[in-house]
Amino acid sequence: MTLAMAVDPFANSTRGKSAQSISKILLEKDETIDSILRHYRIYAAVLESIATPDNGGSEASRYLNGVRLPIATPKQIDLAYQLIAPESDIQTHEAGKFLSKLVQASFDAGYNGFLISASQGIDEFPYELTGKENDTLKIEIYGNAGNQFGSFSAYLDVTLKGSAGNHPAFWTKDSIIVIGGDVGTHCGVSLGRSKISILGNAGDSPFMDSQDSNWYIGGKIGDLASLFNEDYRGNKNFPNRSIFHFKDERSFEYAQVMFGKMPALYRGELTSNRVRLVQ
C-alpha cells in the first residue's frame, strides 16, 4: 500500500476554502495539532514498512498501544479528523484507529462531548473506546462512517448523523448507539447490555449473539438465516434476553417468524427475546 502525507497539511486544507474557514484552520494551527500530525506521519511510515494485508490491523494496534499521543481538546480532534481523513492514502481503518486512540487519550485526560464533522467516513472510528459506568464517552458524528463503526467499545454514547458500513457495534457493551441512516451487514454482533437505534435499513445478519440489549429498526431488515448458523465452537448465533422494535410491518412479521423458530432454552440459557411492532 502507498502512504502519502502532504508536507504541510494546512496548505491543502485551506485550498479552495472560504476566508472564514481558513481563519478557523489557521487559528487552530498550534503545537498540539502539529504534534498530532507528526505522530500520524510516523505511524503511517511504520505501517508502510511492516504491515501486510494480513497483519495491518494487528500491527497498527500494537504500535498505537506503545505510543503516548498528545492530549487534544474535542475541537482539536475534530480538526485533526478533517486533516487526516482526506489527506491519507493509508487503509482507512488504520487512520480510524489512530483517531480513536486520540479520542481515548483526550477522554482519559478529562475531556468529553466530541463533535466530529465527517466529510469523509473512515473505517474503525470510533473504535476500541472505553468510557466510565457513570461517565460515558460521548461522540456525535455529522456524516457517514465506514466499517466497524462503534465496535469493541464499552460505556460509549455515540450518535451518527448518517449511515454506517458493515459490522457496526461489533462486540460493544454497555453503550448507547444511534445511527441516523442505514447500516451494512452483521450489525451488533455480540452486542451486550446496550441500546441501539437504527433509523434506516439494516443489512443481512443483524442481531447475532446480541445479549440483554434493546433494538430499534426504523427501516427494513435483511436476511436473518445466519442466526441459525453455528460458530467455530458449534454454537448457534441466537440472541438472548433482548427486545427488538420494528417500525416496518413486514420486517416485524419476518422477525416474528424467524424468532419463533428458536428454542426457548438453548444450551442452558433462556433465549427470552421479544419482538414488537411500533408506530
Side-chain angles (χ1 to χ4, degrees), residues 2-276:
T2 302
L3 303 179
M5 197 73 185
V7 174
D8 183 2
F10 289 95
N12 282 344
S13 65
T14 58
R15 188 175 296 127
K17 297 290 196 323
S18 67
Q20 184 178 6
S21 298
I22 293 173
S23 297
K24 177 186 175 183
I25 291 172
L26 294 178
L27 178 65
E28 291 293 335
K29 185 177 181 182
D30 56 25
E31 292 182 1
T32 300
I33 294 294
D34 288 340
S35 178
I36 290 169
L37 295 175
R38 284 196 300 272
H39 274 85
Y40 185 74
R41 292 190 197 100
I42 295 170
Y43 169 69
V46 168
L47 291 184
E48 172 73 9
S49 64
I50 63 177
T52 68
D54 293 330
N55 73 359
S58 60
E59 293 296 347
S61 296
R62 186 177 296 112
Y63 175 80
L64 286 175
N65 288 338
V67 172
R68 185 174 181 178
L69 295 179
I71 304 302
T73 67
K75 190 174 181 181
Q76 288 169 328
I77 291 174
D78 181 38
L79 180 57
Y81 187 104
Q82 312 312 315
L83 295 172
I84 288 173
E87 287 288 345
S88 175
D89 290 332
I90 191 172
Q91 293 178 0
T92 58
H93 63 277
E94 312 303 6
K97 285 183 178 179
F98 179 89
L99 290 162
S100 295
K101 181 79 171 180
L102 201 63
V103 170
Q104 186 68 62
S106 180
F107 176 82
D108 292 343
Y111 292 102
N112 207 347
F114 300 90
L115 300 176
I116 304 294
S117 299
S119 56
Q120 176 176 323
I122 58 176
D123 293 349
E124 296 187 359
F125 181 84
Y127 184 84
E128 289 186 341
L129 294 180
T130 303
K132 300 175 182 177
E133 183 174 1
N134 298 318
D135 184 20
T136 55
L137 196 160
K138 298 177 177 61
I139 306 179
E140 200 163 342
I141 301 174
Y142 291 83
N144 295 322
N147 297 325
Q148 296 207 48
F149 162 80
S151 292
F152 294 101
S153 297
Y155 300 114
L156 177 67
D157 185 347
V158 59
T159 297
L160 175 67
K161 305 285 189 177
S163 296
N166 299 327
H167 295 92
F170 192 94
W171 272 93
T172 287
K173 313 296 182 185
D174 302 297
S175 296
I176 299 173
I177 301 162
V178 178
I179 299 172
D182 302 330
V183 297
T185 66
H186 297 88
C187 179
V189 173
S190 296
L191 184 72
R193 301 179 301 276
S194 296
K195 182 176 181 180
I196 181 168
S197 298
I198 300 163
L199 304 189
N201 302 319
D204 294 343
S205 307
F207 316 148
M208 293 168 59
D209 200 32
S210 170
Q211 308 286 326
D212 304 293
S213 293
N214 193 312
W215 288 73
Y216 171 83
I217 308 293
K220 302 179 187 302
I221 55 169
D223 189 9
L224 298 180
S226 58
L227 297 177
F228 296 86
N229 295 340
E230 293 184 350
D231 64 16
Y232 68 95
R233 297 166 297 182
N235 296 327
K236 302 289 187 184
N237 294 309
F238 298 149
N240 292 325
R241 303 173 304 278
S242 294
I243 304 174
F244 301 88
H245 302 85
F246 296 93
K247 188 173 183 181
D248 178 68
E249 188 169 355
R250 288 190 177 182
S251 295
F252 163 72
E253 292 171 351
Y254 172 51
Q256 270 193 319
V257 171
M258 296 299 283
F259 277 71
K261 295 179 180 179
M262 297 177 191
L265 187 68
Y266 180 70
R267 299 210 169 184
E269 281 195 76
L270 290 171
T271 50
S272 317
N273 297 300
R274 286 177 282 174
V275 181
R276 297 173 176 172

